[in-house]
Amino acid sequence: MTLWAIVPVKPLRRGKSRLAGTLNEDERTQLNRALLQHSLETLSGVPGVNEVLVVSRDPNALAIALNTALKRATVVAQVYATQGVLILPADLPLVTREDIQVLLDRAVKPPVVVIAPDRHGKGTNALVIAPAGLIEYDFGE
């Protein structure tokens, strides 16, 4: 299976805003940069991931812009004949190659959608879709 990982990234200065009481803007920017770097390094070692595409939005864009950007990125992946996509946000400090491999191992018989929910059950920490474009994105509140 040809699979691209798509990493959506908020503007680095805006990410982790809930830490504003603890970290100043420069510290949050540095943290977000480190989290993104970790995600990219983690993905680079996963055998089932052929390409990594980072999607970033304008600081003033609404949450819908992320879904639009992901949809556009999926179209680009489809043009390059990918069979699936992995959506992995950049702010998962504990994600490992093994975690990603578990998701990919569950997506071997398309059509399939594999969802890794957040610990609160209100969001998605990772999403594998094969074939690409099988479902609409609805990230955000």
Side-chain angles (χ1 to χ4, degrees), residues 61-82:
L62 301 174
I64 193 70
L66 176 60
N67 295 315
T68 301
L70 286 171
K71 187 173 183 176
R72 289 179 182 160
T74 298
V75 169
V76 171
Q78 289 170 320
V79 167
Y80 284 91
T82 64

Side-chain angles (χ1 to χ4, degrees), residues 3-107:
L3 187 131
W4 283 26
I6 301 172
V7 181
V9 183
K10 289 182 180 178
L12 296 177
R13 291 202 170 280
R14 289 192 46 217
K16 298 298 179 197
S17 60
R18 288 178 283 184
L19 296 176
T22 306
L23 301 175
N24 66 37
E25 188 174 308
D26 289 338
E27 291 169 327
R28 289 193 322 272
T29 300
Q30 187 176 15
L31 172 62
N32 289 316
R33 186 174 289 120
L35 290 170
L36 174 58
Q37 185 64 36
H38 170 73
S39 295
L40 296 175
E41 288 172 1
T42 300
L43 286 167
S44 71
V46 177
V49 175
N50 300 91
E51 298 289 340
V52 177
L53 179 63
V54 176
V55 178
S56 186
R57 60 188 168 124
D58 186 273
N60 298 319
L62 301 174
I64 193 70
L66 176 60
N67 295 315
T68 301
L70 286 171
K71 187 173 183 176
R72 289 179 182 160
T74 298
V75 169
V76 171
Q78 289 170 320
V79 167
Y80 284 91
T82 64
Q83 295 169 338
V85 293
L86 164 66
I87 312 283
L88 184 74
D91 62 349
L92 302 174
L94 301 179
V95 70
T96 65
R97 290 181 177 115
E98 292 77 19
D99 296 330
I100 296 167
Q101 194 61 57
V102 167
L103 294 171
L104 299 182
D105 289 346
R106 293 181 180 184

Side-chain angles (χ1 to χ4, degrees), residues 117-128:
D118 69 5
R119 64 186 168 116
H120 304 291
K122 295 182 178 180
T124 302
N125 281 343
L127 182 64
V128 180

